[in-house]
Amino acid sequence: MVEESNLKLTGESRQKIVALKQLYPSPRSAVLPALHVVQEQFGYVPVPPMAEVADILEILHGEVEQVATFYRMYHQQPVGKFVVKVCDSISCYLRGSDELLAQGQQKLGVKCGGTTPDGQITLDKIECLAACGNAPCIQVNDEFIYDVTPAQFDAVLDELKRAKKNPYFVP
Amino acid sequence: MSVINYKSNQIFPPPPPSGDPTYQYILLKHRVVPGLRKLAVYQKEGGYEGLKKALNDYQPGQVIDLVKQSGLRGRGGAGFPAGTKWSFIPKVGGAKYVCCNADESEPGTFSNHELIENNPHQLIEGILITCYAIGSELGFIYIRGEFARGARVLEEAVKEARAAGLVGKNILGTGFNCEVIVHRGAGAYICGEESALLESLEGKRGFPRLRPPFPAIAGLYARPTVINNSETLCNVPHILRHGPEWYANYGTEKTKGFRLYCLSGHVERPGNYELPCGTTFRKLIYDLAGGVWKGRKLKALIPGGSSTPFLAATDEVLDTPMDFEGIAARGSMQGSAGVIVFDDQTCIVGAVLRLVEFYKDESCGKCTPCREGTQWLVQILHRLEHGEGRPGDLELLLNVGSNIAGKSFCLLGDSAPVPIESALKLFREEFEYHIHQGRCMVGPGANRPVTIGAAH
Amino acid sequence: MADLVTLTIDGQRLQAPKGATIWQAAKDAGIFVPIYCYHPKMSPLGACRICLVEVEKMPKPMAACTTTVSEGMVVYTSSEAAEKARAGVMEFLLINHPLDCPICDKGGECDLQNYAVEYGREAGRFQEEKRHLGKAIELGSTIVLDRERCIMCQRCTRFCSEIVQEEGLIIRERGRLAQIGTFSDLPYESQFSGNVAEMCPVGALTSRTYRFKARPWELKHTSSVCPHCAVGCNIEIDNRLGRQVVRFMSRENEAVDDGFLCDRGRYGHGFIHSEQRLSTPLLRKNGRLEPVGWDEAFSFIIARLQQICQQFGSKAIGGIAGTHNTNEEFYLFKRLINDVLGSPNLDHYHGHFSSLNPEQVATFHTATIEGLDSAKLIVLVGVNPSVRQPIMELRIKKALKAGAKLIVIGPNAGALERFATLHLHVPMEQFSPAIGAIIAAMIWRGTAKGFEDPSINQHLQSVYGNFQTGDALSHEINRAASLLSKAETCSILYDEVVTQKAANADLVRDLINLVLAAGQFWSEGHGLGLLTADNNATGVRDLDLLPGQGGLSYAQMLGLKGATHLKALLVMGANPLQHVQKQNKALANLELLVVQDMFMSATAELAHVVLPVASFAEKEGTFTNWEGRVQKVNVSLPPLQGTAPDAAIILELASRLGEVLDIRTPSQIFDHLARISPLYKDMSYTTLAGKGQLRPLIREADEIEVPDWLQRATLPTPEILRQESEEYPNGLTDLLDAAPSVDVGRVRRAEGDGGTAR
């Protein structure tokens, strides 16, 4: 386990953030995309890089944390390699999302929001993903899977248990 | 049937049969033109013709006039005339901005998602034309964080367009400069509210702002700013290309053009349907989408995203034209055109709980009524749903709801009690059944005892 | 009046300024609308919704704190709709609020409690599980947070982000999970932290020093002025049951403090009840200071004074005043030394003003605190408000937020440094040359306002016309000249302490010339400002407690200029030994050294007699802040048993010396001063109460002759050091990094350490 205080941005991440800072009319606008860069590197948004982001953007450290904790996509704690998010808003609910979530919990042996002991999969629910025409719908990290049947969901979880890279990535 | 639903990442359905001129793919042209995402294909199909026309043939003010003449109304929900909105931008020097609201998050709404991933240039062209019209040199696309792929597609498209001289300095040799920045959100429904979107774009928490000042006067970075929904902006190139008269030909008297109706829930073929404004619910649900699934009966529908009141399954409702005025006359709203269908096996209490939970989770916490009230509503509904309802709960729900609606800082709070009020009006007996019997009146929950305190 | 709109609130037709909020208009008309999130010093938020009112033609209730008035508007603050809205909001605020009022420090002065009684429902309808969050969390060394009590009004977080603009309190999470915290849970340490507890409308943020100390109904409130620096923030002394001062609260005076206090002031009341306070006169017997009665102490002093007078004459007697007493005490001390004892040897520790007399000093210092709000450019010359006048830091930040630019000249401007448009890193020894160079550069540009006046133009040309600047700083000098030339309004502030540097003895002359060049002399509230550190350093100078004809100066009395003929020295509230070497012959050789003080000090240790005095909270009188505002302090509690106010001591000494002064009470003295001194023209003791009064400017409007003494015989250059300067061997060595002397003493006192104090 890495000591939190040792969590440093890589040169590449810093470069990306510096580029973002220059992109906007006001450097502060780069906070959200910069935090995406942080999450890309660490899998979540730890505290030390938040301070680094603040220093690069020349804003107060607290201003970054206020933002990081407001937006749901930034994980404040480490999560599994793959985060499976089941949409549980109305249209997916009408077409069986609760059943998918129950199925996932049972299959993975974790509660909603929990991570498998091997750190491979985190199962969570999510508010409407704007894919209601393909309900129920899930995301694996940032990738969508549409019209998910229980059998497909089972297969997805099986695949993710062994996967090294996100098999559902579509360029 | 002519229009077939969209399944993302799948082969597109064949085009509609010719002969019925009402139905054609305009915004959804990617369904019939493979590879439209690429600039070359987009241009071959007439893409960027609208921009060319705007830059070469019209003064900025004339572009605004054209859009006004077309009758284009905002697709985000309020239905404000787009051209009029643009005309509010003061004709002063200095920076002005166009922000495309692609933070599509309203349950039941998913048109931007399809448009962005499959036809990014249509949106970029719309933004460029809008920038030209209001004198802006920088447009932003605020795309919701979960649309990671959409953001990649847009960024790729901006890159292509820049390489082709369509974005950047001296566009098409006309001296018009314009940049487009794709900005990803990070998971907050409230950022679809335009002032919260601006806050977020400035790198802050998505708290809605006070108005006035309105964005047209002091928006992004306190400069004049136009904010339009993606679908609204996607219409703009077509209006420029084919003329406002062509556009105004479609639709109804007060709601012109065509619209992407997002159909979801208990229908046979859910998906986006591109139809002239004012098409009836009956035509959408029964003629085009194959009716209620599993051969069941229609119980109710939500006509415009989760923030709009339920409508009962009456013939009067089914024959209502889906435009701003038509739906308003039935006591609901056109909203974002997200039509959610509920079959007769749906327990309304569970559905309402799920709808209100969304607002509780998405409340930004800025104002008291929404922050505290939405949680209270959910606490009561949760008890009701799980067989712990008490006499007086329904009055309490309505009363708490009335203390949120109209008292909160922004429309999110106003929306939260909407499903409760309208569902109680239509299906009060189901709520009462829950209180007295401790279980559902209809659906699978009616036959089994309800587990008290079941997790959600 | 074009700027007024007419509206109706609760049937009352009234006028309000255009742009005012309904809340403001109602308040001005005496109609009360409750608020939580609204704070007049911060941008409107509209979040708490408790101020909802009904407005005709509006479909829903409007927030009074964010809705601006308009012509013909009809508002109801207590109609059925307004009451329902308010009751609804009140209920929402209470559903998750703990029912711990009996053990909450805010109980009794809590806006939530008060409005709940006023607007809330009789019985709660909330029967669900309340939200549980952290309680009694120590945020830092001063503030405790109770997250369950928080109503998310964002006053504290906005104070940190909008006003202090440093790391501070933030909101984390969102929606119902939102809560107050700090970045990464680091301690909340800020020298303005106490303000968040004061502005918290509920019991979420409380001060550690006040927790469980008193209940509001036990408190007696006394209007006073903070004694901890020369800003003179208005405070309310809260005294429990007439016996113990338990806290200082802000008593907002927009012209001075904007309603804020720094922690040094707010929490600096421990000295009043310090166990180390002197509570009996001390007389040196057999080489040791021993407690004696007042009569014995007075008798000893009088006998010794009379003996010295007879033997050596009155010029063998001297008086040194401190910089913390009231103006009235200074007046009496001056009378005692000059008139009763007949000695011209009177002085205090002060800066150098090129032989300007007190009236001239006042005339040329026109900058005010409020004037900063409208300054387009602020120049800080050797100023570090973060340490020496903390509330000035906030005031300057406010001006910067409003668009002012900032030039920092000198080594250290504390927290303001990172806001500087331009920072001239000039060592303190080169302030004069740097200012001269800027004036020369302005002459060269020739575009500044001051040069439009031919007489000023000629004067400046003659003094600075040939100034040579060709050093490494020339680029910055030119930028400074450019900023000063362009600035419509400009305030130039310097700290008294930097004039004590030998090289800066003539600094004031150059600074006045800079003000002339920038054309700011006529600009109301702008121009030059002299920042002093001690709370009444301005008053003691205004009252001319300076050497008379042939009198000895502070340094001379202390033997820094060679041996003196001084035999007796009366010291009121000062510790001159801090400015000289410990083995000071002059003081050791005195036949009579009397020290009036609250605490023992290095000087008191040498004294023959030490007289214990009352604190500022135990007496009344006036203080003059750095900008020249005279403000009144009042009695919060009687003098500590065994002590006496300095005034009473002086009157007794005078009377025992055979002179019964007829002007005795603070009001008599001040009104007398108002009659005889142009510095207090048109003031009176009664009109001072409340917000105080600014010293009048003693000059003809729009007219100034360039005084002779603004000429410079020699150009200031880095090489020239003044000969006759009084730089003290043990002077505040690190100058700008030192807080006012009063605080060093009091803070140490609170920690149980020794030191100087008043």
Side-chain angles (χ1 to χ4, degrees):
Chain A
M1 190 65 198
V2 192
E3 272 293 308
E4 264 234 339
S5 55
N6 292 336
L7 296 168
K8 282 246 163 33
L9 287 175
T10 60
E12 193 192 344
S13 296
R14 287 187 73 88
Q15 265 176 4
K16 279 188 197 165
I17 295 168
V18 169
L20 285 166
K21 177 188 176 185
Q22 287 155 356
L23 181 66
Y24 292 90
S26 155
R28 187 169 175 166
S29 282
V31 173
L32 265 69
L35 289 172
H36 282 308
V37 173
V38 171
Q39 183 146 303
E40 224 170 83
Q41 182 186 330
F42 298 99
Y44 71 112
V45 179
V47 167
M50 277 196 250
E52 279 190 84
V53 166
D55 292 340
I56 295 172
L57 302 181
E58 295 173 73
I59 58 176
L60 299 174
H61 295 180
E63 289 173 332
V64 174
E65 190 171 1
Q66 295 212 81
V67 169
T69 57
F70 183 87
Y71 297 93
R72 169 185 57 217
M73 283 178 72
Y74 303 126
H75 303 297
Q76 295 178 43
Q77 300 296 329
V79 290
K81 189 180 179 73
F82 301 108
V83 183
V84 176
K85 292 168 268 190
V86 179
C87 173
D88 77 338
S89 289
I90 187 70
S91 299
C92 288
Y93 164 82
L94 293 176
R95 295 177 81 103
S97 63
D98 280 11
E99 288 71 21
L100 285 187
L101 201 58
Q103 178 190 344
Q105 295 187 51
Q106 200 187 4
K107 183 172 174 83
L108 298 174
V110 296
K111 285 226 164 89
C112 183
T115 305
T116 54
D118 60 358
Q120 187 76 0
I121 302 175
T122 297
L123 180 69
D124 209 346
K125 59 183 184 179
I126 190 167
E127 298 297 350
C128 183
L129 282 169
C132 321
N134 302 89
C137 138
I138 65 169
Q139 270 197 325
V140 174
N141 293 347
D142 286 343
E143 307 307 319
F144 282 88
I145 306 178
Y146 300 108
D147 301 306
V148 182
T149 63
Q152 281 170 340
F153 192 49
D154 209 59
V156 167
L157 294 178
D158 278 334
E159 184 166 14
L160 291 178
K161 278 180 183 169
R162 296 179 306 268
K164 296 218 158 33
K165 280 165 74 180
N166 191 345
Y168 302 100
F169 183 84
V170 183
Chain B
M1 217 31 252
S2 55
V3 181
I4 301 179
N5 77 309
Y6 154 69
K7 300 277 179 188
S8 180
N9 304 339
Q10 294 180 11
I11 297 158
F12 291 114
S18 52
D20 186 349
T22 325
Y23 304 122
Q24 49 178 300
Y25 291 121
I26 299 163
L27 299 193
L28 295 184
K29 198 173 203 175
H30 58 270
R31 292 193 182 175
V32 287
V33 180
L36 194 60
R37 196 186 302 151
K38 303 302 290 176
L39 178 62
V41 181
Y42 181 69
Q43 280 183 309
K44 204 172 143 212
E45 291 294 322
Y48 288 106
E49 291 293 326
L51 176 68
K52 266 181 215 156
K53 243 179 149 170
L55 297 185
N56 292 324
D57 301 351
Y58 301 110
Q59 292 300 311
Q62 292 174 306
V63 175
I64 296 179
D65 289 341
L66 287 180
V67 174
K68 273 188 189 168
Q69 286 162 29
S70 76
L72 172 64
R73 293 172 71 170
R75 301 302 196 224
F80 195 82
T84 309
K85 193 182 221 179
W86 300 358
S87 66
F88 292 155
I89 297 291
K91 293 174 183 53
V92 294
K96 296 169 202 171
Y97 302 106
V98 171
C99 294
C100 164
N101 185 346
D103 192 55
E104 184 170 57
S105 312
E106 168 98 355
T109 313
F110 47 95
S111 60
N112 294 357
H113 194 174
E114 178 174 358
L115 290 173
I116 286 170
E117 285 193 5
N118 298 289
N119 196 352
H121 285 287
Q122 178 173 259
L123 177 57
I124 293 166
E125 187 181 358
I127 290 170
L128 292 169
I129 296 169
T130 310
C131 283
Y132 174 72
I134 67 149
S136 161
E137 298 194 341
L138 183 54
F140 291 89
I141 303 174
Y142 187 100
I143 180 167
R144 73 175 283 191
E146 287 85 351
F147 291 174
R149 176 157 183 263
R152 286 196 297 273
V153 168
L154 276 171
E155 262 165 10
E156 188 57 41
V158 169
K159 217 192 264 176
E160 264 190 313
R162 188 179 294 113
L166 293 161
V167 165
K169 295 271 178 221
N170 192 18
I171 293 169
L172 296 169
T174 60
F176 173 58
N177 306 322
C178 196
E179 266 304 326
V180 176
I181 295 178
V182 180
H183 183 94
R184 253 178 96 195
Y189 167 67
I190 190 64
C191 292
E193 194 279 343
E194 62 176 18
S195 68
L197 181 149
L198 296 177
E199 285 286 292
S200 181
L201 194 41
E202 288 182 11
K204 300 174 191 161
R205 295 166 71 83
F207 281 154
R209 287 181 184 173
L210 273 177
R211 272 161 296 191
F214 291 93
I217 306 301
L220 188 64
Y221 311 125
R223 299 295 311 168
T225 304
V226 156
I227 305 157
N228 277 130
N229 178 273
S230 316
E231 188 185 326
T232 315
L233 292 169
C234 285
N235 277 289
V236 172
H238 302 285
I239 292 170
L240 263 289
R241 194 173 151 207
H242 303 294
E245 300 79 13
W246 165 83
Y247 188 83
N249 252 342
Y250 294 92
T252 57
E253 193 196 333
K254 288 189 172 160
T255 309
K256 301 294 183 194
F258 25 83
R259 173 127 211 196
L260 299 189
Y261 291 96
C262 313
L263 185 62
S264 69
H266 295 152
V267 287
E268 277 296 332
R269 288 190 296 275
N272 285 314
Y273 290 82
E274 183 168 24
L275 301 167
C277 291
T279 307
T280 64
F281 288 110
R282 191 186 299 280
K283 183 149 195 169
L284 171 68
I285 296 168
Y286 290 100
D287 297 354
L288 303 176
V292 178
W293 74 346
K294 301 179 182 173
R296 292 182 190 161
K297 286 206 170 66
L298 182 67
K299 173 176 187 150
L301 57 87
I302 288 179
S306 64
S307 302
T308 59
F310 280 98
L311 289 175
T314 61
D315 283 341
E316 197 187 26
V317 164
L318 286 173
D319 292 325
T320 299
M322 294 186 289
D323 64 3
F324 292 101
E325 288 70 27
I327 300 177
R330 298 280 162 262
S332 191
M333 291 179 286
Q334 160 88 311
S336 59
V339 181
I340 309 171
V341 172
F342 297 80
D343 70 20
D344 56 359
Q345 293 300 298
T346 314
C347 166
I348 204 75
V349 178
V352 167
L353 170 60
R354 189 54 53 98
L355 284 161
V356 180
E357 271 181 334
F358 174 81
Y359 295 96
K360 178 205 71 172
D361 286 344
E362 295 294 347
S363 171
C364 76
K366 173 172 177 164
C367 77
T368 310
C370 178
R371 179 184 68 240
E372 304 292 338
T374 54
Q375 189 194 8
W376 193 1
L377 290 179
V378 168
Q379 283 172 312
I380 302 167
L381 283 168
H382 197 268
R383 275 197 293 99
L384 271 178
E385 163 76 352
H386 294 97
E388 294 172 53
R390 305 183 190 119
D393 271 350
L394 303 186
E395 287 65 37
L396 186 58
L397 277 174
L398 287 172
N399 189 281
V400 170
S402 75
N403 285 339
I404 306 172
K407 317 296 189 297
S408 51
F409 188 89
C410 77
L411 291 174
L412 193 151
D414 292 347
S415 303
V418 164
I420 299 175
E421 282 164 21
S422 58
L424 266 169
K425 216 177 280 170
L426 297 174
F427 307 104
R428 191 179 176 99
E429 69 284 1
E430 281 194 47
F431 286 87
E432 279 167 354
Y433 191 92
H434 256 276
I435 292 177
H436 300 306
Q437 308 295 326
R439 57 189 163 89
C440 308
M441 196 167 93
V442 295
N447 303 324
R448 46 187 154 85
V450 172
T451 323
I452 291 184
H456 249 81
Chain C
M1 290 270 275
D3 293 325
L4 291 176
V5 296
T6 305
L7 72 159
T8 307
I9 304 182
D10 293 349
Q12 195 177 329
R13 268 177 76 80
L14 48 99
Q15 290 195 310
K18 208 175 168 186
T21 61
I22 294 177
W23 182 80
Q24 190 64 49
K27 183 170 175 260
D28 292 347
I31 299 165
F32 178 77
V33 176
I35 45 168
Y36 292 122
C37 69
Y38 179 76
H39 191 287
K41 302 296 172 192
M42 301 174 206
S43 53
L45 194 68
C48 77
R49 317 305 285 173
I50 195 69
C51 69
L52 289 175
V53 293
E54 186 185 350
V55 178
E56 266 185 17
K57 292 180 190 152
M58 296 307 245
K60 51 189 189 180
M62 306 296 287
C65 75
T66 58
T67 310
T68 49
V69 294
S70 61
E71 189 61 40
M73 187 182 247
V74 180
V75 179
Y76 302 98
T77 71
S78 46
S79 62
E80 201 180 315
E83 301 254 312
K84 175 177 162 37
R86 209 176 290 152
V89 172
M90 198 68 234
E91 182 177 36
F92 287 141
L93 286 170
L94 291 174
I95 56 175
N96 282 300
H97 192 85
L99 297 168
D100 61 357
C101 301
I103 55 148
C104 175
D105 256 325
K106 205 79 175 189
E109 56 181 4
C110 171
D111 288 344
L112 191 64
Q113 201 178 36
N114 295 342
Y115 302 164
V117 174
E118 193 102 352
Y119 309 111
R121 296 176 155 269
E122 275 169 29
R125 299 186 296 175
F126 184 78
Q127 294 179 38
E128 322 300 326
E129 172 86 2
K130 274 183 192 277
R131 188 155 60 223
H132 291 297
L133 297 165
K135 294 182 80 73
I137 301 158
E138 296 197 348
L139 283 181
S141 52
T142 54
I143 302 294
V144 180
L145 166 67
D146 184 313
R147 290 201 166 112
E148 288 187 347
R149 294 182 191 154
C150 176
I151 58 167
M152 292 310 291
C153 70
Q154 299 188 45
R155 281 189 186 180
C156 58
T157 55
R158 282 179 293 155
F159 173 74
C160 295
S161 64
E162 291 182 19
I163 291 168
V164 183
Q165 301 172 54
E166 309 283 346
E167 296 289 348
L169 300 180
I170 56 169
I171 316 171
R172 294 198 307 212
E173 310 300 331
R174 77 169 184 220
R176 70 200 186 284
L177 301 173
Q179 39 190 277
I180 301 301
T182 57
F183 174 73
S184 186
D185 286 327
L186 292 171
Y188 171 51
E189 299 296 347
S190 155
Q191 65 169 336
F192 305 106
S193 71
N195 294 299
V196 302
E198 180 164 348
M199 65 181 60
C200 180
V202 297
L205 296 170
T206 47
S207 278
R208 279 175 77 165
T209 56
Y210 177 71
R211 271 170 77 83
F212 311 125
K213 285 274 165 34
R215 302 304 275 171
W217 51 87
E218 301 173 322
L219 299 177
K220 181 192 143 202
H221 311 293
T222 308
S223 292
S224 192
V225 176
C226 175
H228 288 282
C229 85
V231 177
C233 297
N234 291 197
I235 59 168
E236 183 183 87
I237 303 177
D238 283 354
N239 170 336
R240 181 174 178 268
L241 303 172
R243 288 198 293 268
Q244 195 183 10
V245 174
V246 288
R247 66 179 182 186
F248 290 168
M249 297 289 269
S250 167
R251 179 172 59 87
E252 181 179 346
N253 186 344
E254 194 156 313
V256 178
D257 48 50
D258 245 347
F260 305 123
L261 298 178
C262 71
D263 286 358
R264 195 165 74 206
R266 179 184 301 273
Y267 298 127
H269 51 71
F271 74 96
I272 297 170
H273 299 291
S274 165
E275 287 187 0
Q276 292 178 53
R277 260 187 79 174
L278 298 170
S279 57
T280 173
L282 301 172
L283 181 62
R284 189 167 299 278
K285 289 181 177 171
N286 305 320
R288 285 179 46 203
L289 285 170
E290 290 185 8
V292 293
W294 278 96
D295 189 60
E296 189 180 347
F298 280 130
S299 300
F300 177 86
I301 297 168
I302 298 300
R304 196 56 74 87
L305 276 175
Q306 281 168 342
Q307 183 208 325
I308 290 168
C309 241
Q310 266 170 16
Q311 205 179 334
F312 304 101
S314 58
K315 288 204 170 181
I317 301 170
I320 287 179
T323 40
H324 305 295
N325 285 85
T326 64
N327 290 323
E328 294 72 21
E329 288 165 344
F330 289 139
Y331 167 80
L332 289 173
F333 192 66
K334 184 175 166 68
R335 289 281 314 263
L336 177 70
I337 303 295
N338 289 164
D339 301 345
V340 180
L341 292 166
S343 168
N345 305 324
L346 175 63
D347 206 352
H348 66 281
Y349 177 73
H350 55 77
H352 298 303
F353 303 104
S354 298
S355 325
L356 266 73
N357 66 38
E359 281 178 29
Q360 287 171 318
V361 171
T363 304
F364 286 99
H365 291 88
T366 54
T368 62
I369 297 174
E370 224 172 4
L372 289 168
D373 297 351
S374 56
K376 298 273 186 275
L377 176 67
I378 295 171
V379 184
L380 301 180
V381 184
V383 167
N384 184 0
S386 307
V387 175
R388 292 167 64 78
Q389 304 89 2
I391 286 300
M392 295 307 301
E393 177 190 319
L394 296 188
R395 198 68 178 224
I396 292 168
K397 282 175 172 171
K398 180 183 179 187
L400 300 178
K401 204 159 189 224
K405 294 201 159 89
L406 176 69
I407 302 178
V408 171
I409 301 177
N412 183 4
L416 290 170
E417 252 174 39
R418 70 183 174 94
F419 297 87
T421 312
L422 174 65
H423 191 160
L424 269 64
H425 292 274
V426 183
M428 231 177 269
E429 289 73 19
Q430 294 192 17
F431 281 176
S432 266
I435 303 297
I438 293 171
I439 299 173
M442 288 171 79
I443 291 174
W444 181 77
R445 303 174 74 88
T447 51
K449 270 165 87 181
F451 300 105
E452 291 161 12
D453 183 311
S455 70
I456 291 176
N457 192 2
Q458 195 188 354
H459 155 71
L460 293 171
Q461 291 276 4
S462 73
V463 182
Y464 298 95
N466 295 320
F467 200 95
Q468 300 294 315
T469 64
D471 58 1
L473 276 174
S474 64
H475 175 67
E476 279 84 355
I477 295 281
N478 272 314
R479 270 196 72 198
S482 161
L483 287 165
L484 274 152
S485 296
K486 284 181 201 149
E488 208 175 298
T489 51
C490 164
S491 296
I492 301 169
L493 307 181
Y494 68 112
D495 194 306
E496 178 173 16
V497 78
V498 303
T499 67
Q500 289 172 348
K501 272 278 178 195
N504 293 334
D506 266 348
L507 180 65
V508 64
R509 179 177 289 169
D510 296 310
L511 288 169
I512 293 170
N513 283 324
L514 183 65
V515 168
L516 289 175
Q520 296 299 318
F521 190 71
W522 298 272
S523 179
E524 202 69 45
H526 305 116
L528 195 56
L530 168 58
L531 283 187
T532 51
D534 291 350
N535 63 323
N536 207 12
T538 304
V540 70
R541 185 183 55 246
D542 285 355
L543 283 154
D544 202 17
L545 271 75
L546 293 164
Q549 196 72 42
L552 299 175
S553 72
Y554 185 81
Q556 284 169 326
M557 285 190 267
L558 296 176
L560 296 173
K561 306 276 171 166
T564 68
H565 49 271
L566 209 66
K567 297 294 174 194
L569 182 60
L570 305 185
V571 177
M572 178 175 75
N575 178 23
L577 214 68
Q578 71 183 318
H579 299 133
V580 300
Q581 260 116 22
K582 283 278 182 243
Q583 299 79 21
N584 183 277
K585 275 201 189 136
L587 290 186
N589 289 342
L590 289 171
E591 287 178 23
L592 177 65
L593 174 59
V594 180
V595 173
Q596 296 167 221
D597 210 326
M598 285 175 65
F599 296 99
M600 282 309 286
S601 67
T603 311
E605 300 281 359
L606 288 181
H608 299 93
V609 186
V610 180
L611 301 175
V613 300
S615 74
F616 87 107
E618 299 156 341
K619 62 191 181 191
E620 66 169 273
T622 60
F623 291 143
T624 307
N625 79 350
W626 71 260
E627 53 169 358
R629 181 177 303 273
V630 184
Q631 308 191 97
K632 190 162 174 284
V633 296
N634 295 296
V635 176
S636 166
L637 70 172
L640 178 71
Q641 181 111 34
T643 69
D646 288 282
I649 294 171
I650 298 165
L651 287 167
E652 180 65 18
L653 285 173
S655 120
R656 288 189 184 222
L657 286 163
E659 190 108 16
V660 178
L661 298 178
D662 52 349
I663 298 173
R664 304 172 67 85
T665 67
S667 69
Q668 285 171 344
I669 296 168
F670 191 81
D671 289 340
H672 172 70
L673 288 173
R675 276 193 301 277
I676 61 164
S677 167
L679 287 170
Y680 304 107
K681 198 166 151 269
D682 299 332
M683 293 191 195
S684 86
Y685 197 67
T686 40
T687 55
L688 285 178
K691 306 281 180 191
Q693 253 179 300
L694 201 58
R695 204 171 49 191
L697 292 177
I698 317 160
R699 59 172 166 85
E700 296 294 312
D702 297 353
E703 209 179 303
I704 178 185
E705 267 183 38
V706 179
D708 292 343
W709 59 266
L710 280 180
Q711 300 292 341
R712 254 183 179 284
T714 47
L715 288 174
T717 67
E719 294 77 41
I720 293 177
L721 295 183
R722 306 297 300 179
Q723 298 299 308
E724 74 279 18
S725 70
E726 290 185 350
E727 203 169 356
Y728 308 104
N730 275 357
L732 295 170
T733 41
D734 30 9
L735 296 175
L736 287 178
D737 293 333
S741 57
V742 60
D743 297 289
V744 178
R746 282 181 183 155
V747 170
R748 273 198 220 142
R749 186 84 42 211
E751 293 161 358
D753 189 9
T756 64
R758 268 224 46 82

